[in-house]
Amino acid sequence: MSLDGRVAIISGATGGLGRVVARRLADAGASLVLLGTDAARLDALASSLALSPDRHLSSVADLRLPDAAAAAADAAVERFGRLDVLAHLVGGYAGGSPLVSTDAEVVRDMLEQHVWTTFHLVRAVVPRMIAGGWGRVVAVSPTTVGSPGTNGAAYTAAKAAQDALLVSLARELKETGVTANLLVVRAIDADDAGKAGWATPDELSAAILYLCSDAASLINGARIPLTG
Ligand SMILES: NC(=O)c1ccc[n+]([C@@H]2O[C@H](COP(=O)([O-])OP(=O)(O)OC[C@H]3O[C@@H](n4cnc5c(N)ncnc54)[C@H](OP(=O)(O)O)[C@@H]3O)[C@@H](O)[C@H]2O)c1
């Protein structure tokens, strides 16, 4: 499956999944825009990918801030002249307490991490995709969005709101050539420990590559379970 000539923004590129997605999209031929909050981790990732300088750009960006998302998108367009893929993989979890003893700060943090990063990035990136007549947005959601458990309300609410933003976006993208989809996991088996029903980064990155391909042009607004 080729992404030759495509430009992919990977937010959360230095995370457990982001690093594997970066490798997979690079191997498929995409040029990469790697976003994270830590320059040293971004440098280490860029070195490990061993891409030629004309095929990647790293930007430090706290994506909770609208200006940071806009600046990262501007820098990417200035460098590559186009934006085709957004793999939005910013992570972060806070939980462990019942809702009645959860600090408001924790709820605020989770909303910033998952809702505002999504909102700011979509607003910065998707209009350029629409203008180009082609684009792919992909994010990863937990199964608890559809079936909340205990002691994780702030995280689950934030990821549910992220889902709602992206499915709404998908509906609004009809006939534009741009799609937005979610992969749904119980959890990511980052260490390949063989946990039943958990998705490995390899499995997720293969699904993300497919959703980013021309072959997936009719898949839009889907919440696709990778749960076994
Ligand atoms: N892990 C799971 O079991 C699981 C389950 C369901 C859904 N998901 C979703 O799957 C995706 C990938 O998860 P993961 O486990 O690979 O995440 P992760 O390892 O926790 O990685 C988090 C990434 O997000 C970046 N990040 C954090 N705050 C940021 C901010 N304010 N601005 C920009 N970047 C920020 C981090 O960058 P720096 O390190 O540079 O700060 C890092 O690259 C996430 O969207 C997550 O919600 C994960």
Side-chain angles (χ1 to χ4, degrees):
M1 213 148 279
S2 170
L3 292 183
D4 269 345
R6 301 289 187 199
V7 175
I9 295 192
I10 305 174
S11 63
T14 51
L17 177 59
R19 293 193 299 271
V20 178
V21 170
R23 171 85 277 157
R24 176 83 62 151
L25 299 190
D27 287 349
S31 295
L32 302 185
V33 180
L34 306 170
L35 305 184
T37 64
D38 185 277
R41 278 197 290 276
L42 282 168
D43 285 349
L45 173 63
S47 306
S48 75
L49 292 169
L51 289 172
S52 59
D54 62 321
R55 280 200 49 212
H56 76 90
L57 171 69
S58 298
S59 295
V60 173
D62 180 346
L63 296 167
R64 296 172 298 182
L65 308 172
D67 291 351
D74 287 348
V77 170
E78 191 173 324
R79 175 67 166 277
F80 296 111
R82 57 189 295 155
L83 292 176
D84 303 296
V85 167
L86 169 60
H88 179 40
L89 305 176
V90 166
Y93 175 83
S97 305
L99 180 60
V100 292
S101 46
T102 297
D103 287 342
E105 197 60 33
V106 171
V107 178
R108 243 192 313 270
D109 284 352
M110 285 293 91
L111 291 173
E112 287 198 346
Q113 200 77 9
H114 296 294
V115 182
W116 288 113
T117 61
T118 305
F119 178 76
H120 297 320
L121 263 180
V122 162
R123 297 239 311 163
V125 168
V126 171
R128 282 150 160 144
M129 294 177 176
I130 295 171
W134 196 98
R136 300 285 186 265
V137 178
V138 186
V140 180
S141 183
T143 49
T144 50
V145 161
S147 173
T150 56
N151 300 338
Y155 170 75
T156 304
K159 292 298 279 189
Q162 181 187 58
D163 276 25
L165 288 184
L166 291 178
V167 175
S168 299
L169 172 72
R171 303 281 177 261
E172 294 160 5
L173 287 172
K174 275 194 173 179
E175 316 297 334
T176 62
V178 184
T179 65
N181 292 290
L182 290 141
L183 296 169
V184 182
V185 298
R186 285 187 220 288
I188 299 176
D189 186 1
D191 304 324
D192 276 324
K195 299 228 171 102
W198 289 25
T200 64
D202 269 348
E203 289 163 337
L204 275 159
S205 59
I208 288 172
L209 174 59
Y210 174 69
L211 288 173
C212 292
S213 70
D214 282 325
S217 63
L218 292 180
I219 304 176
N220 185 33
R223 299 181 71 257
I224 301 170
L226 266 66
T227 51

